[in-house]
Amino acid sequence: MLLLNSCADEYLDNSKIYAIDTESFFNSETDYYNALVAAYDPLQSTFINVLMGEIASNNTLCGGESATDVPGYQQVDDMTHSPVNSQLQNLWSWMFGGVNRAAYIIEFQDKTDFVGKEVIIAEARFLRAYYNFELVKWFGDIPIKPEGRFVFGDEKSIPRSPKAEVYALIEADLKYAVANLTYVAPQVGRATKGSAEALLGKVYLYQDKFQEASTVLKNLIDFGPYDLVTDYNSIFEDAGENGVESVFEVQYTDIQGAGFGCLQCSEGNVAVGFQGVRGYDGDLFTSGFSFNVPTQEMVDEFEPGDNRKDVAILDIDAWAASTGASFTTGYEHTGFFNRKYIPRKRSTEAAGDLNLTNPNNYRAIRFADVLLMAAEAFNRRSNPDDGIAKVYLNRVRARAFGAANDVTSSGSNLTSAIYHERRVELVGEGHQFFDLVRTGRGTQITGFTSGKNEVFPIPLEEIQFSQGNWSQNSNY
């Protein structure tokens, strides 16, 4: 729970913070800034959330080299995971590491004053909300400590808070961030007012607070600086990073090496190499480990004329036939790959293992996601406004088809159309499993058991560390 690792030379090594007595730290703006950089660093380890979240859904199969390649991923794909799963343990540890780094700043927010401190505190609260939201999505009830950091021994006394209390803390953090940030980030990659509004809208949506979600998301759409780019393909190439459609983006780089001994130490997007075509030799792409392979059923979800299909899905047989590329097949080979996030050839030599240092940023919240969340909120609230819901939905569809291709239905049929649109617009981006669960459609996932698989098990080691303070999630 208290794992706090960082191997980045750009980011502050957390051990240096804790090597200094807290009374000797946070004495200057530089101290607060360095701690903030350290709090951003665990975002890069969210590669596992995206990769494993997609594998858990009905969009893809796990893939890999064999049925025993990364057993934790294979079990999540088959819905046979248990409290003994090293990948779920990693996710828990890395996200709580992020919570604690952000909470360190919050705990000492009043120690030193300087101009602009409220921005740093607001970003720290956004980050704590982001990490806690990931944890509550995956594990349900989790321990929270609003006043500051967890310390050793807290696991024996601080209970797992009910989801409602966790969400209340997340909402409070995000409202503070909204009130104290602007739409222009101090540096590329840092959170903004728009990031906080979008995440707050999503948090409301996950709790079925549709009225609140519709209000905050409409405000973001009306007054924020975001828009849909014309070319859907450009979003996922280098030129599309941190563009007008990016509401919040996790930054990655390939200038620092990484190895399998410390995946969370990589400054690159580890998930990209994992999703690459096995044994690939040819144009544009480089090889990878063939995980997270889309199914034929997912590919068939695209309507005729949808320009997103060839951007989102790489049909490797068709690609090889047209380009002369060669490849080998892995476990559960479907012939399809997540083209949004597979490794591209690079003009310069990167450091370390090329598969682990891909520089592809993760578009954590896109404006298209905001539009579709707003459409759902207006459609599903107690006083529906299907007119505005269709405006937002059809704005996304017009970009996808290159011209108006409007949905005209209302009510529950419109709800289904929005669900469909979220699936094809956001495929490969790690949202589908949670969209299914929060809307009561989890049984569409093969092997899913209602009353169990809505959340994942608390790692066994954490249960043991708590010495009876924490109980396990139901049916695990």
Side-chain angles (χ1 to χ4, degrees), residues 7 33 58 64 70 101 104 131 148 181 193 222 253 256 259 286 295 336 340 362 437 470:
C7 299
Y33 174 78
N58 59 348
V70 191
R101 291 188 184 196
Y104 184 44
Y131 296 127
L181 297 176
K193 180 184 182 75
D222 289 346
T253 178
Q256 180 172 320
T286 58
T295 64
F336 303 113
K340 292 177 179 177
Y362 171 56
V437 166
W470 298 340

Side-chain angles (χ1 to χ4, degrees), residues 352-431:
D353 189 321
L354 293 180
N355 288 122
L356 303 182
T357 57
N358 282 279
N360 311 55
N361 286 358
Y362 171 56
R363 286 66 165 169
I365 308 176
R366 293 197 286 113
F367 188 59
D369 188 6
V370 170
L371 289 168
L372 294 174
M373 287 192 293
E376 181 181 342
F378 275 99
N379 167 250
R380 296 185 67 196
R381 69 186 195 179
S382 58
N383 56 330
D385 188 335
D386 284 351
I388 194 170
K390 282 183 278 193
V391 168
Y392 294 150
L393 170 63
N394 289 326
R395 189 172 168 184
V396 175
R397 287 180 62 81
R399 196 258 303 267
F401 291 90
N405 195 315
D406 289 354
V407 169
T408 59
S409 55
S410 298
S412 61
N413 289 334
L414 177 57
T415 309
S416 297
I418 294 168
Y419 292 162
H420 159 80
E421 206 65 33
R422 286 191 61 80
R423 188 179 188 188
V424 293
E425 172 70 28
L426 301 171
V427 61
E429 300 178 48
H431 304 294

